[in-house]
Amino acid sequence: MGTFSCAWFTDSLTSIMRTIAFYRPASGGSPVEEFLDSLPDGHAQKVTWVLRLVESLERVPQQYLKKLVGTDDLWEVRVQIGGNNYRLLGFFEPREVLVLTQGFSKKQQKIPQREIDLAYRRRSEYVQRRNQP
């Protein structure tokens, strides 16, 4: 059996890592941070715990991260605490960075269309600002 260098081990760990970024409009602030600040402390801690899982697990269970069916590459981070269902929507840009556009409390089976539309608008704005010289 061959020996593995420390660099190989570190590279193999970081290759599975994702980074989560919060969308920030040109006007400043962060809709995701505002959402997290609005939650009770224990709920915000659980959401943060799920975000850490999404960043660190190579294969995130669909219980926590799932592509939204019928969308053009929008994803949802899913958090359930008792009878409360929270969702954070976002997109990958580039492949390793999940940009979260907003968070909300989910009260019905389907994600409301207005939340999907908002995520698309914010993604468009994000990409447009990123591509400006």
Side-chain angles (χ1 to χ4, degrees), residues 103-118:
F104 57 95
S105 179
K106 185 175 170 227
K107 309 236 187 259
Q108 55 199 27
Q109 188 67 22
K110 290 182 74 173
I111 300 289
Q113 188 61 45
R114 71 181 180 280
E115 297 291 348
I116 292 170
D117 294 343
L118 180 59

Side-chain angles (χ1 to χ4, degrees), residues 52-99:
R52 281 193 217 116
L53 284 180
V54 169
E55 283 185 320
S56 62
L57 293 177
E58 181 175 6
R59 293 181 188 259
V60 181
Q62 283 191 358
Q63 170 185 355
Y64 300 119
L65 180 67
K66 184 178 176 187
K67 183 183 179 301
L68 283 177
V69 176
T71 66
D72 182 23
D73 284 331
L74 289 182
W75 291 76
E76 65 175 332
V77 174
R78 306 155 55 107
V79 182
Q80 183 174 350
I81 305 168
N84 298 295
N85 290 301
Y86 301 116
R87 298 295 186 264
L88 294 98
L89 299 186
F91 57 93
F92 282 95
E93 182 68 27
R95 193 173 63 101
E96 304 84 20
V97 179
L98 176 58
V99 180

